[in-house]
Amino acid sequence: LPDHIRAKVQDHPCYSEEAHHHFARMHVAVAPACNIQCNYCNRKYDCSNESRPGVVSELMTPTQAVKKTLAVAAAIPQMSVLGIAGPGDPLANPERTFETFRMLSEQAPDIKLCVSTNGLSLPDCVDELAKHNIDHVTITINCVDPEIGAQIYPWIFWNNRRIRGVEGARILIEQQQKGLEMLTARGILVKVNSVMIPGVNDQHLQEVSKIVKAKGAFLHNVMPLIAEAEHGTYYGIMGQREPTALELEALQDACAGDMSMMRHCRQCRADAVGMLGEDRGDEFTLDKIDTME
Ligand code: CLF
Ligand code: SF4
């Protein structure tokens, strides 16, 4: 890796396989609203674009989020990255998300800032992301073909109206690709998450991998669909099959010819705290932080 990129990833547990043994991340759940509907999501739970479905995180205000971040940073010295990943879409809640980033870049300038998004509002937010020195952005891109997109996204909310089917998916895909190009043009590292949905986009994700690599994405993270009926998602209710571990690995291997693949993702909660795969969130709930002062 070139030195300027190594410097950005060497202490980020998601962007570097090596770093995840030594560095921790935390998420603050400040972003409740979402501007699209994914068939693998139930709004009662965290955004499933970057989180384990079926989990409910403790929603907080930007001020509470900053307080929590400072408390965790003091208690866990390996904590190098603060991410906003839900419980809805961070960029569909720009005031709350950017207020949190603004306060943190002032009060804790050593902590790297990270965000994940479905990409619909991304082109409008790129200037603001760059202004707060956000070097790591994840876009969930499940397809580049609107016909496939219509099977994943029943609707988007765009310019104050709901747009359904292929037309909605086409706009979402255009915004995601435009956002990706704008970020890489500024040297911001982009990770692409894709949810592997058997029979829907599994045959298509290798093409997604090729295209996002060509546009400068740094890393591709193919995650398995989790569609348990009790989570009440459309796919869960319709009995959509999940990929097997072998199918997931075969797809990751197939994409790896074109692209650096992330294989250590743990599908964290929107309020996760600690090393990847470890969740110390319960030690830092708001009531506990209040008693730490
Ligand atoms: Fe969080 Fe995501 Fe940033 Fe990491 S998680 S916003 S890039 S700091 Fe990491 Fe968790 Fe996988 Fe996400 S293991 S779900 S990839
Ligand atoms: Fe749910 Fe996230 Fe999709 Fe919004 S972007 S519908 S919160 S999975």
Side-chain angles (χ1 to χ4, degrees):
L1 285 182
D3 285 349
H4 69 286
I5 295 188
R6 190 191 308 273
K8 285 183 186 177
V9 301
Q10 64 189 2
D11 54 359
H12 195 306
C14 306
Y15 282 69
S16 157
E17 224 275 291
E18 174 60 23
H20 99 275
H21 299 294
H22 308 288
F23 294 96
R25 55 77 189 97
M26 69 176 287
H27 290 163
V28 286
V30 295
C34 189
N35 47 8
I36 69 173
Q37 179 66 56
C38 304
N39 277 332
Y40 46 75
C41 180
N42 174 344
R43 303 311 183 85
K44 278 196 291 195
Y45 303 119
D46 287 0
C47 174
S48 315
N49 278 343
E50 171 102 358
S51 312
R52 179 157 293 279
V55 167
V56 182
S57 290
E58 184 182 44
L59 185 69
M60 54 184 71
T61 65
T63 306
Q64 289 170 324
V66 170
K67 199 169 162 186
K68 176 171 174 173
T69 306
L70 298 177
V72 171
I76 306 181
Q78 303 95 319
M79 212 285 287
S80 56
V81 176
L82 181 280
I84 301 183
D89 186 75
L91 302 183
N93 304 260
E95 294 84 11
R96 296 173 62 97
T97 294
F98 288 115
E99 176 68 359
T100 307
F101 283 147
R102 186 189 60 72
M103 287 193 281
L104 279 171
S105 54
E106 282 169 18
Q107 296 180 40
D110 293 340
I111 297 178
K112 282 190 159 58
L113 303 176
C114 189
V115 67
S116 83
T117 178
N118 62 41
L120 183 63
S121 301
L122 182 55
D124 297 335
C125 294
V126 168
D127 284 342
E128 191 81 12
L129 289 166
K131 195 171 111 190
H132 296 289
N133 289 327
I134 290 153
D135 263 341
H136 300 83
V137 176
T138 296
I139 315 171
T140 299
I141 301 181
N142 293 320
C143 55
V144 289
D145 174 345
E147 300 285 340
I148 294 175
Q151 299 171 54
I152 303 172
Y153 308 105
W155 53 260
I156 67 168
F157 197 74
W158 177 247
N159 291 339
N160 299 316
R161 60 189 186 99
R162 204 171 295 255
I163 301 177
R164 296 180 190 276
V166 177
E167 173 65 1
R170 187 186 59 74
I171 295 168
L172 176 63
I173 291 166
E174 280 173 11
Q175 292 289 100
Q176 290 171 337
Q177 296 295 321
K178 187 173 165 196
L180 168 59
E181 288 165 18
M182 291 170 75
L183 290 169
T184 57
R186 284 168 204 241
I188 295 174
L189 289 184
V190 180
K191 170 165 77 61
V192 170
N193 281 1
S194 300
V195 180
M196 177 185 183
I197 311 161
V200 176
N201 70 349
D202 52 339
Q203 304 293 320
H204 176 60
L205 284 179
Q206 243 184 296
E207 188 186 347
V208 171
S209 211
K210 281 201 185 88
I211 288 174
V212 300
K213 184 194 181 183
K215 293 191 176 174
F218 177 74
L219 197 61
H220 192 192
N221 175 22
V222 178
M223 313 186 297
L225 171 74
I226 300 176
E228 287 163 17
E230 61 270 29
H231 295 162
T233 63
Y234 174 80
Y235 284 147
I237 293 162
M238 299 305 282
Q240 167 69 46
R241 178 171 90 73
E242 298 174 356
T244 65
L246 278 178
E247 287 171 331
L248 177 67
E249 205 185 320
L251 177 57
Q252 289 172 333
D253 288 344
C255 294
D258 302 307
M259 183 62 177
S260 311
M261 303 302 291
M262 175 179 188
R263 298 184 190 244
H264 62 285
C265 175
R266 301 299 169 84
Q267 292 180 280
C268 316
R269 309 165 49 120
D271 62 359
V273 175
M275 308 293 281
L276 296 192
E278 164 186 86
D279 198 348
R280 298 179 57 181
D282 290 349
E283 295 169 42
F284 301 96
T285 53
L286 286 176
D287 50 338
K288 287 186 185 142
I289 289 167
D290 281 336
T291 63
M292 283 176 193
E293 289 175 318

